[in-house]
Amino acid sequence: MNSGKKLSLHGMLQAISRVKIRRPITEEEWFITIGGSIIFLIFMMALLAPFISPYDPTIKTGASYQPPSWEHLMGTDKFGRDMFSRIIWGGRIPLVIGLVATIFSFAIGVPLGLLSGYFGGNFDRILSLVMDSIYSFPGLVLAIALAALLGSSVVNITVAIAVIYVPTFFRVVRGQVLSIKEELYVTAAISIGAKRRTIIARYIFPNTIPSIAIVFSLSIADAILTEAGLSFLGLGPVVPPVPDWAYDLQKWYGLAVSQGYWWLAFWPGFFIMLTVLGYSLFGEGLNEILNPMLREV
Amino acid sequence: MGSLKKYIVLRILTAIPMFFILITVIFFFLRILPGDPISAMYGGKLPAEYEAYLRHKLGLDLPYHIQYINYLRSLFMGDLGTSIYTKRPISREIMENLPATLELTIYGLAIALFVGITLGSSAAHRRGSKIDRLIRVYSVLTYALFIPWFGTLLQFIFGVYLHILPIGNRLDPTVDAPIRITGLYTIDALLTGNFLAFFSALRHLILPSLVLGIVLSGIFVRMTRENMIVILRKDFISFAKARGISNDKIIWKHALKNTLIPIITIFGLQFALLLAGAILTETTFSWPGLGSYLKLRIEYRDYPAIQGVIVVYAILVIIVSLIVDMIYAMIDPRIRY
């Protein structure tokens, strides 16, 4: 257990780049390699959808409820649409919403966490209380509330999901700042008269990056599950003929069970799981490498 | 016990601002952000005058601070408003659906805890071994499961293919519900000696609570494993080993007891996940609880009902975090102030 155990971001990148030359050895390297490959493949599939999908996902291309065959790899639905093409196209919305929402949460949560942790005082107290309250609340319920009441466009769903993960970034960054603030090099920077902005931006922020990277990956995984949950509850951002994994799953899961059309429910859900698994494995691998708490002493 | 009492009183007092913040945050999100329920519901499909009338009826045309006061006042009186869809008091409808959700979450949680603690301890005990690796993959994998998909899969296997378990509802259609005492069918049936209803309710609980339990178990596996690894390095464990106490006894008695304390504290935060998971599980298994109620009311755009359910979730979250903190204070004397 002595290779690949690096603390810095630089070391982490080295660990990832080394994977290309030799086989991953430690578990963490396997996690990152497999997770990263899944994310890459799914993104390529969604990006290249116009070139690789065999049929138009929104029109009838065969008989209804065809089980998987060479012509329709994942069968067809009630309207004779090719499920394989719908799967290929159906990842676009969850992938984009997951990524964009998490970027928003990052952009709001990280600066607030930095300021709150650094300055402390009443500002910190109130902000922490609000963030903790949101954090303790079921994210899916909050997203449901926002989506149900604001209307469920792509933008609104993204905002709703972004709101949920702001406290996650905030809490992690704030916690890190509180301990980094006490480090000698920060005291040294203060004593030589560095500006606050410089201290936060150049001395504190870079040291929070490893934790942020972990939270980022895990939040995307969670955001995709939340988007899927919303779609499943009928609050999804897509308008019917447009393919979306969770929408297809909620549309057909009843029939899949009652009529035995398993392919209609299995494949959409499988790809949701695969995507979330990719991000979780990646985040998990990063966590093991970057989180010194868990390393063997 | 003096300090414990003081702590409990203090903790209850701090729960009050938390409740107000949560309620206010919900209010803020629902009212101040652009768009409102009427345009979300009808989005220009109705004449402008009628939309204005609906807004007026729901009090959405009043200034925000008045709306906020009205909202707090009715909440304080336990009034969650009247459903647009059924015209019945929402608080009563919620109370009818709450026991089903509680029953599901209690069984789900029991499964999650059992699987989580067993697997987590085994993994920590054999750290770095093949079993440890398998268990860690299990915990990541369960986290990635999308509940409706996993639920449908189990319904297909056990309900349709093997045909051994029911795939929805709380009871067989031929069995009458037990006399209502708590609303939890398994408990009511036992209390009234109605074994037919008890076994029917239990059979119906298996698949949904298994889905919820397995999906949540990954987190408990992780928490148990991480905490136990830390505990196993402590001096008192080495001392126990030196005294010749068997490995099993050290893991399951000495280490586990100390691992449970952090698990209980983290549980307060996991409760939110449990509730969110229950919504999806209920919908998948046509389980007549709060989640199914919420889904149905979303379909009808029954705005006061949706808001009522959310407030009830907030109250549940606060009550659970209160209870968790109290249990924590009782087990661990260091926490009282």
Side-chain angles (χ1 to χ4, degrees):
Chain A
M1 297 291 275
N2 49 15
S3 62
K5 296 281 193 189
K6 296 288 191 295
L7 251 180
S8 63
L9 185 67
H10 178 68
M12 176 191 100
L13 292 172
Q14 263 188 341
I16 296 170
S17 62
R18 253 189 295 139
V19 168
K20 285 177 192 158
I21 334 172
R22 59 166 176 75
R23 286 181 55 203
I25 291 178
T26 63
E27 213 167 317
E28 299 81 70
E29 288 174 359
W30 273 113
F31 275 24
I32 290 186
T33 315
I34 296 173
S37 315
I38 294 175
I39 300 171
F40 178 75
L41 288 176
I42 297 229
F43 259 93
M44 288 317 281
M45 182 183 90
L47 264 176
L48 301 177
F51 308 105
I52 55 175
S53 90
Y55 302 97
D56 182 331
T58 56
I59 56 166
K60 187 176 170 74
T61 54
S64 300
Y65 302 129
Q66 290 298 301
S69 63
W70 284 113
E71 227 160 292
H72 299 285
L73 285 176
M74 296 177 183
T76 61
D77 66 8
K78 181 184 173 190
F79 307 110
R81 296 177 299 201
D82 179 47
M83 280 308 280
F84 183 54
S85 307
R86 288 186 70 76
I87 293 290
I88 291 174
W89 284 88
R92 291 191 154 199
I93 287 170
L95 287 173
V96 169
I97 289 185
L99 191 63
V100 174
T102 311
I103 291 173
F104 272 129
S105 317
F106 162 85
I108 299 168
V110 170
L112 284 181
L114 283 171
L115 295 177
S116 198
Y118 187 77
F119 291 109
N122 281 333
F123 169 71
D124 175 47
R125 231 163 273 148
I126 293 170
L127 207 53
S128 297
L129 204 56
V130 172
M131 291 290 177
D132 284 352
S133 304
I134 302 178
Y135 187 79
S136 65
F137 199 68
L140 182 64
V141 177
L142 202 59
I144 289 171
L146 293 169
L149 297 152
L150 302 177
S152 45
S153 65
V154 173
V155 176
N156 285 349
I157 298 281
T158 310
V159 171
I161 294 176
V163 168
I164 301 172
Y165 299 105
V166 169
T168 319
F169 283 98
F170 173 85
R171 285 165 60 103
V172 168
V173 171
R174 180 180 170 274
Q176 291 270 308
V177 172
L178 287 183
S179 65
I180 296 169
K181 201 164 80 163
E182 304 302 325
E183 298 280 343
L184 273 179
Y185 57 83
V186 175
T187 320
I190 295 172
S191 65
I192 58 167
K195 287 198 198 93
R196 274 178 186 162
R197 217 172 54 195
T198 321
I199 294 172
I200 295 178
R202 300 242 335 250
Y203 294 87
I204 295 182
F205 176 65
N207 287 297
T208 61
I209 291 175
S211 312
I212 294 174
I214 298 163
V215 172
F216 200 86
S217 189
L218 296 177
S219 290
I220 295 182
D222 226 52
I224 289 172
L225 279 179
T226 306
E227 190 272 345
L230 284 177
S231 281
F232 187 77
L233 294 170
L235 286 167
V238 296
V239 186
V242 178
D244 172 76
W245 295 334
Y247 180 84
D248 277 8
L249 176 60
Q250 71 92 26
K251 183 104 180 145
W252 309 120
Y253 78 101
L255 276 177
V257 173
S258 65
Q259 305 294 323
Y261 304 148
W262 60 270
W263 59 92
L264 290 179
F266 182 80
W267 293 115
F270 179 76
F271 274 82
I272 295 172
M273 188 199 72
L274 202 62
T275 312
V276 177
L277 186 66
Y279 280 113
S280 321
L281 280 175
F282 195 78
E284 214 46 43
L286 284 185
N287 191 21
E288 288 289 307
I289 292 178
L290 302 176
N291 191 348
M293 263 290 287
L294 287 171
R295 295 183 319 148
E296 195 92 57
V297 180
Chain B
M1 280 307 274
S3 67
L4 181 60
K5 259 186 206 151
K6 207 168 120 196
Y7 173 79
I8 289 176
V9 172
L10 257 172
R11 186 60 189 78
I12 291 175
L13 288 178
T14 51
I16 295 170
M18 189 178 163
F19 177 71
F20 276 102
I21 288 173
L22 214 48
I23 294 298
T24 309
V25 166
I26 294 170
F27 178 84
F28 173 81
F29 281 138
L30 302 192
R31 300 296 158 80
I32 315 286
L33 289 174
D36 71 40
I38 303 297
S39 40
M41 270 186 250
Y42 307 109
K45 281 176 224 139
L46 292 175
E49 302 85 61
Y50 190 60
E51 280 193 10
Y53 164 73
L54 284 177
R55 274 197 191 94
H56 176 71
K57 216 177 137 198
L58 290 173
L60 293 171
D61 55 346
L62 298 167
Y64 290 133
H65 63 277
I66 309 247
Q67 281 192 43
Y68 182 64
I69 291 168
N70 286 344
Y71 166 76
L72 284 186
R73 186 193 296 143
S74 41
L75 265 187
F76 191 67
M77 302 199 297
D79 176 12
L80 295 172
T82 311
S83 157
I84 296 180
Y85 172 62
T86 58
K87 311 277 187 286
R88 295 176 63 215
I90 289 160
S91 44
R92 186 185 299 164
E93 292 192 334
I94 287 177
M95 287 316 286
E96 286 167 6
N97 287 281
L98 187 61
T101 298
L102 289 182
E103 191 163 39
L104 173 65
T105 45
I106 289 170
Y107 280 82
L109 182 65
I111 292 174
L113 276 173
F114 177 75
V115 175
I117 290 174
T118 319
L119 292 186
S121 308
S122 315
H125 177 33
R126 300 179 186 82
R127 196 170 172 204
S129 68
K130 271 221 176 75
I131 294 172
D132 180 28
R133 274 187 207 152
L134 267 178
I135 291 174
R136 284 185 54 211
V137 171
Y138 166 89
S139 81
V140 181
L141 203 64
T142 51
Y143 176 79
L145 288 174
F146 184 46
I147 289 177
W149 179 71
F150 185 47
T152 309
L153 208 63
L154 292 193
Q155 283 177 333
F156 194 79
I157 296 171
F158 292 101
V160 178
Y161 188 70
L162 298 173
H163 207 75
I164 46 174
L165 285 172
I167 56 170
N169 293 317
R170 294 177 77 186
L171 286 173
D172 292 310
T174 51
V175 177
D176 287 327
I179 301 154
R180 184 176 169 134
I181 303 167
T182 58
L184 309 180
Y185 282 179
T186 46
I187 293 180
D188 287 356
L190 275 185
L191 287 177
T192 54
N194 186 348
F195 291 104
L196 190 69
F198 176 74
F199 287 114
S200 180
L202 207 57
R203 267 167 52 83
H204 282 77
L205 263 167
I206 295 176
L207 283 185
S209 56
L210 210 58
V211 166
L212 189 57
I214 288 179
V215 169
L216 282 171
S217 68
I219 293 157
F220 288 103
V221 169
R222 255 187 82 145
M223 276 161 27
T224 311
R225 180 178 177 275
E226 288 175 10
N227 284 306
M228 195 171 271
I229 286 173
V230 174
I231 298 281
L232 285 178
R233 289 203 198 108
K234 293 259 157 82
D235 288 344
F236 76 92
I237 296 289
S238 320
F239 185 62
K241 274 184 196 158
R243 279 197 302 165
I245 297 173
S246 73
N247 246 336
D248 279 352
K249 211 171 169 191
I250 289 174
I251 292 281
W252 300 108
K253 255 189 97 183
H254 298 82
L256 189 59
K257 229 196 296 179
N258 288 285
T259 311
L260 287 180
I261 296 175
I263 290 179
I264 289 170
T265 34
I266 307 170
F267 171 70
L269 293 173
Q270 304 309 331
F271 182 69
L273 273 178
L274 186 67
L275 282 180
I279 296 177
L280 294 173
T281 312
E282 286 177 17
T283 320
T284 313
F285 286 92
S286 344
W287 189 261
L290 272 191
S292 295
Y293 177 79
L294 184 63
K295 157 122 206 233
L296 192 69
R297 294 317 158 89
I298 289 171
E299 271 166 39
Y300 293 109
R301 300 286 177 204
D302 189 346
Y303 155 74
I306 298 172
Q307 183 171 322
V309 175
I310 292 163
V311 169
V312 169
Y313 278 124
I315 294 171
L316 283 178
V317 165
I318 287 166
I319 292 176
V320 168
S321 80
L322 203 62
I323 295 173
V324 165
D325 280 2
M326 284 178 188
I327 295 176
Y328 189 32
M330 272 176 223
I331 325 179
D332 191 344
R334 284 170 302 180
I335 210 66
R336 297 168 207 164
Y337 31 76

